[in-house]
Amino acid sequence: AQSVTQLGSHVSVSEGALVLLRCNYSSSVPPYLFWYVQYPNQGLQLLLKYTSAATLVKGINGFEAEFKKSETSFHLTKPSAHMSDAAEYFCAVSPSGNTGKLIFGQGTTLQVKP
Amino acid sequence: GAVVSQHPSWVICKSGTSVKIECRSLDFQATTMFWYRQFPKQSLMLMATSNEGSKATYEQGVEKDKFLINHASLTLSTLTVTSAHPEDSSFYICSGKLAGGEQYFGPGTRLTVT
């Protein structure tokens, strides 16, 4: 069965510091992988997605993620955190292509300190 | 991006009553809509998938007679929680998907059953 594990339910960084949110997946087939961000009282917003093309995926707001098959990982990074990046981040896998059925990780709350 | 709305954003109901939650795609036609449930500080769990004009497909462990889903048009899906109990209290999130395209999430509906 497919699954997603996000390491660290809470990550705190200083403004301007590197952001690294970890995501490992389990899938028996080549997966589609996603990162979503959820701001308070708003719907999930797609940051980026991997669909078996380039392994380094660039998304919105300066975020990027690298698909590493050997490590079954899809970690999210941003070189320099902004206060506005504080939110909940979810990694998700779609085990059956672009059908829309998503399996989500537990989520990571990113805190950005001034 | 496309917008998905949910109504109401928060509802309180008494145990034993039923409550209906609406999910609308405002500026696109969603051939498929999904319903998720999110417990506090936890991940989103897919409850069911619905295609316009068809019966919903429920995930394992989700009671279809308790969580009635209707997808009457390409812009509206409803979730009715029947005979609600306190354990049904949760955050319910819908999403709409374009055929072969992106998935867009609503802001969620918080259900509290007293």
Side-chain angles (χ1 to χ4, degrees), chain B residues 39-105:
Chain B
F39 291 101
K41 303 297 183 183
Q42 295 189 31
S43 182
L44 285 76
M45 300 294 294
L46 179 65
M47 298 175 66
T49 303
S50 72
N51 293 292
E52 184 261 341
S54 301
K55 288 186 176 181
T57 302
Y58 292 81
E59 295 299 304
Q60 192 173 9
V62 177
E63 299 176 61
K64 62 180 181 181
D65 294 331
K66 181 169 189 58
F67 299 99
L68 301 178
I69 293 173
N70 183 277
H71 192 164
S73 76
L74 287 171
T75 60
L76 174 65
S77 177
T78 60
L79 168 68
T80 301
V81 183
T82 63
S83 187
H85 291 283
E87 57 265 29
D88 299 323
S89 298
S90 190
F91 199 57
Y92 293 88
I93 299 173
C94 73
S95 68
K97 187 179 183 301
L98 293 160
E102 297 298 332
Q103 183 171 184
Y104 300 94
F105 287 81

Side-chain angles (χ1 to χ4, degrees), chain A residues 38-44 88 90, chain B residues 5-14 19-22 35-44 47 67 79 81 84-94 106-114:
Chain A
Q38 185 180 33
Y39 298 103
N41 301 316
Q42 294 186 32
L44 275 74
E88 187 80 13
F90 291 95
Chain B
S5 70
Q6 287 185 237
H7 178 80
S9 58
W10 192 9
V11 58
I12 301 174
C13 71
K14 292 190 175 183
V19 61
K20 179 184 289 187
I21 302 169
E22 290 186 350
W35 286 95
Y36 293 84
R37 183 173 180 176
Q38 184 180 26
F39 291 101
K41 303 297 183 183
Q42 295 189 31
S43 182
L44 285 76
M47 298 175 66
F67 299 99
L79 168 68
V81 183
H85 291 283
E87 57 265 29
D88 299 323
S89 298
S90 190
F91 199 57
Y92 293 88
I93 299 173
C94 73
T109 296
R110 184 166 303 283
L111 170 64
T112 301
V113 184
T114 61

Side-chain angles (χ1 to χ4, degrees), chain B residues 14-31:
Chain B
K14 292 190 175 183
S15 186
T17 62
S18 297
V19 61
K20 179 184 289 187
I21 302 169
E22 290 186 350
C23 175
R24 292 182 184 273
S25 55
L26 298 184
D27 49 5
F28 70 102
Q29 294 186 323
T31 52

